[in-house]
Amino acid sequence: MNEIYKLNFDYINQNGHFLIFSKDEGIREADLSNIQIKMLLANPIPNLLPLGIDEIDFKISLRYEITSKKMLVHFFKRELLSEDQFYQLLLNIVSTISDSKMYMLNEQNYILRQDFIYIGQNINDIYLTYLPLKQIESKKSVFDDLKQLVLGLYHFVENIENDKFQELIAFMSDAEFVMSDLKQKLLDLLEQNFQQSKNTPSDNNNLVVNEEQPDLKPSLGIKDQHNSEINRLVDKKNLLFILILVIGIIIWGFYYKYPSEFLFYTSVGLTIIIFFLPFVYWNLHRAIEEKKVTTIDSENEIDYYEKLPNNTTLLTKQDETIFLNENLLDDLSQNPLSKAYLEVKRGSKTERIEIIGQNFLIGRNPATVDYVENSRGISRVHLEILKLNYGYVIRDLGSKNGSFLNKQQLTPNKIYPLEDGDILKLAKTEFKFEYKTS
């Protein structure tokens, strides 16, 4: 069982894929924030993992649905971020945290680590893990967690301007900065990049530009001709959110002063109404404004990037891997005293594969994995084998067709011990694990 903030966490497959938080003695009802629980269960809050509460034999656990979602840490095993994607990702995370007060949530209760942030359809479709607890033990401030997250993500960004990144870190190092200021800072950085992309000519001599061709610059979400209008809308939105917050505090304050079942359901209903109607108004208003802005379709955007000079450099080696459970790093052996192999039979021939390094990836993507397996049904990054000081463990990385250990299907992201002679099955390919101590 893995642990974070003195909570156990595990992954289960049961009519879906779920992340579970628990304690050996069970989470107590007194540990939970009732108002946060009610808000999370009553409202589908944007960019938060859906929460469920389980209670068995008076032991409470928190259940988060992660079906069809990928860990952020696994996203980087497939591709890196552009500088704009990096700032946009941070903006989405910061905006989610900044909006917490609207839903009576606590900024401090987010787990801002790469293995607890999930991605849906694309990098902008993010889901954060929120713990509705009154107090979280051994947790740093949300600002410290954010800074550590930013520093960790830096290694997965291509061609980032160091001056801008240092400017962002210096800004976050200010003890007095607040989420709204950081949000504006990220918007400024995105706008600066957009202005530079407009003003910087291409230095690719092989690129011939026809003046009659449409402009292929990708949409970055910030349009010069509408900046002033957008800023006015943002100001209106902030004022509206403050008004909603005040009304919500009044409603729930009245309920806490005169608690009753009738007032509780009335308060929930009024809260839903005051949150729902402004969002409808805002989305309609925003849709009208967005129609005024010319957007570039995805095919043109891809075509534009393909025509840019091929001078990409990486800030870190692609084969570096972040472990799901960082506590396991303490157990990593620095003095390998044993060798492990995978043995696979292909027709009349037997292939013997030595497992080298602390982590060993298997999949179809040669740019990412340590061993390329091109059999049908294998995912791009399918499986990971980790070397610890007491032996080897295995983890399925959310592969489409799953992985099996001795005919038992593995729960994605969960760690299982490996023993000499174990049989691994990935799609239709079987590997025999051999572990020889020296």
Side-chain angles (χ1 to χ4, degrees):
M1 185 75 69
N2 304 302
E3 183 179 296
I4 183 173
Y5 306 138
K6 298 188 177 180
L7 291 171
N8 300 327
F9 69 92
D10 202 355
Y11 303 89
I12 63 170
N13 276 328
Q14 191 174 8
N15 297 323
H17 191 197
F18 297 91
L19 167 63
I20 306 294
F21 287 92
S22 62
K23 288 185 176 181
D24 293 337
E25 68 279 10
I27 298 174
R28 299 178 305 165
E29 186 174 355
D31 296 332
L32 299 172
S33 170
N34 290 330
I35 184 64
Q36 293 178 22
I37 291 288
K38 291 170 184 175
M39 292 299 293
L40 290 167
L41 296 180
N43 303 280
I45 300 177
N47 301 128
L48 264 63
L49 287 175
L51 171 68
I53 305 294
D54 296 329
E55 183 174 1
I56 302 176
D57 296 332
F58 303 103
K59 292 184 177 182
I60 297 175
S61 60
L62 305 176
R63 171 173 41 85
Y64 298 84
E65 184 174 4
I66 55 176
T67 306
S68 301
K69 301 177 180 66
K70 291 281 188 182
M71 287 182 186
L72 181 61
V73 66
H74 291 168
F75 175 88
F76 297 126
K77 292 180 179 178
R78 298 187 174 187
E79 58 184 289
L80 299 180
L81 295 177
S82 68
E83 185 176 27
D84 286 309
Q85 285 178 321
F86 172 61
Y87 290 132
Q88 186 63 56
L89 173 63
L90 293 180
L91 178 61
N92 291 339
I93 294 173
V94 171
S95 297
T96 301
I97 299 173
S98 180
D99 291 344
S100 296
K101 293 180 182 179
M102 291 170 42
Y103 303 99
M104 300 183 186
L105 303 181
N106 187 347
E107 292 181 348
Q108 185 63 24
N109 287 33
Y110 291 92
I111 306 182
L112 298 177
R113 285 181 17 178
Q114 294 180 41
D115 42 356
F116 290 96
I117 298 174
Y118 285 80
I119 303 296
Q121 297 299 318
N122 54 63
I123 191 64
N124 289 321
D125 185 20
I126 66 162
Y127 296 87
L128 304 184
T129 306
Y130 183 88
L131 297 174
L133 302 175
K134 292 180 180 177
Q135 186 175 359
I136 302 178
E137 298 184 55
S138 307
K139 190 177 187 300
K140 297 179 181 179
S141 73
V142 63
F143 303 105
D144 289 336
D145 285 345
L146 257 178
K147 187 174 179 181
Q148 288 300 314
L149 177 65
V150 170
L151 290 171
L153 294 178
Y154 169 83
H155 300 288
F156 302 100
V157 186
E158 294 180 301
N159 292 337
I160 188 169
E161 289 189 33
N162 192 55
D163 290 344
K164 288 182 182 177
F165 182 77
Q166 293 300 330
E167 180 183 341
L168 176 62
I169 294 300
F171 181 88
M172 297 181 69
S173 298
D174 186 344
E176 297 182 358
F177 93 89
V178 294
M179 289 296 169
S180 58
D181 293 339
L182 179 56
K183 187 175 177 179
Q184 186 58 51
K185 182 67 177 177
L186 291 167
L187 284 169
D188 291 343
L189 289 171
L190 280 168
E191 185 173 8
Q192 288 177 33
N193 282 358
F194 178 66
Q195 294 291 348
Q196 288 179 0
S197 69
K198 282 182 56 179
N199 299 328
T200 303
S202 172
D203 57 358
N204 186 354
N205 296 329
N206 296 324
L207 178 61
V208 179
V209 180
N210 187 337
E211 292 182 357
E212 296 180 357
Q213 282 185 322
D215 185 8
L216 298 181
K217 290 188 292 292
S219 170
L220 298 178
I222 300 175
K223 313 296 181 184
D224 281 351
Q225 59 269 39
H226 291 279
N227 272 346
S228 59
E229 180 63 24
I230 290 174
N231 288 335
R232 285 196 294 271
L233 289 176
V234 170
D235 291 339
K236 289 180 182 179
K237 184 179 179 182
N238 290 338
L239 181 61
L240 188 60
F241 285 162
I242 292 172
L243 181 61
I244 291 172
L245 179 61
V246 171
I247 296 174
I249 291 174
I250 293 173
I251 291 173
W252 287 98
F254 188 77
Y255 164 72
Y256 275 111
K257 190 173 182 180
Y258 305 103
S260 69
E261 185 176 357
F262 172 76
L263 278 180
F264 169 72
Y265 288 112
T266 302
S267 299
V268 171
L270 290 174
T271 301
I272 294 173
I273 290 172
I274 65 173
F275 280 125
F276 178 73
L277 291 180
F279 276 119
V280 172
Y281 165 78
W282 173 255
N283 288 330
L284 288 175
H285 198 163
R286 184 175 60 182
I288 293 172
E289 290 301 320
E290 286 178 349
K291 287 182 180 180
K292 301 177 183 178
V293 181
T294 302
T295 57
I296 308 300
D297 64 20
S298 59
E299 290 183 1
N300 282 344
E301 181 174 334
I302 293 171
D303 186 50
Y304 168 78
Y305 281 115
E306 287 178 346
K307 292 181 179 181
L308 289 176
N310 186 20
N311 58 357
T312 300
T313 58
L314 302 184
L315 294 175
T316 185
K317 294 181 179 179
Q318 178 69 12
D319 58 359
E320 291 182 352
T321 301
I322 302 294
F323 291 94
L324 169 67
N325 179 13
E326 293 185 1
N327 293 331
L328 289 177
L329 291 174
D330 296 334
D331 295 330
L332 290 175
S333 172
Q334 302 300 324
N335 183 25
L337 298 175
S338 59
K339 289 186 177 182
Y341 301 88
L342 291 176
E343 188 176 275
V344 56
K345 292 184 178 180
R346 305 184 190 276
S348 59
K349 295 182 179 180
T350 299
E351 183 180 0
R352 191 172 172 83
I353 307 153
E354 183 177 359
I355 299 173
I356 301 173
Q358 303 286 6
N359 63 293
F360 190 83
L361 297 173
I362 301 174
R364 288 190 297 106
N365 187 357
T368 305
V369 301
D370 299 287
Y371 178 77
V372 178
E373 175 58 51
N374 285 317
S375 301
R376 189 173 182 178
I378 300 293
S379 297
R380 294 178 64 190
V381 183
H382 196 108
L383 189 84
E384 182 175 31
I385 299 176
L386 302 174
K387 177 176 172 56
L388 309 181
N389 63 357
Y390 55 80
Y392 288 83
V393 295
I394 191 173
R395 178 173 64 196
D396 179 272
L397 298 177
S399 62
K400 183 177 180 180
N401 294 305
S403 304
F404 293 81
L405 174 61
N406 298 327
K407 298 183 178 182
Q408 175 191 357
Q409 185 167 8
L410 305 183
T411 299
N413 303 315
K414 187 172 182 178
I415 289 176
Y416 296 81
L418 276 176
E419 296 181 0
D420 182 43
D422 281 347
I423 302 298
L424 309 177
K425 186 176 181 181
L426 314 184
K428 295 183 179 181
T429 305
E430 286 193 355
F431 298 86
K432 181 179 179 181
F433 177 73
E434 295 185 358
Y435 179 39
K436 305 295 183 182
T437 57
S438 56

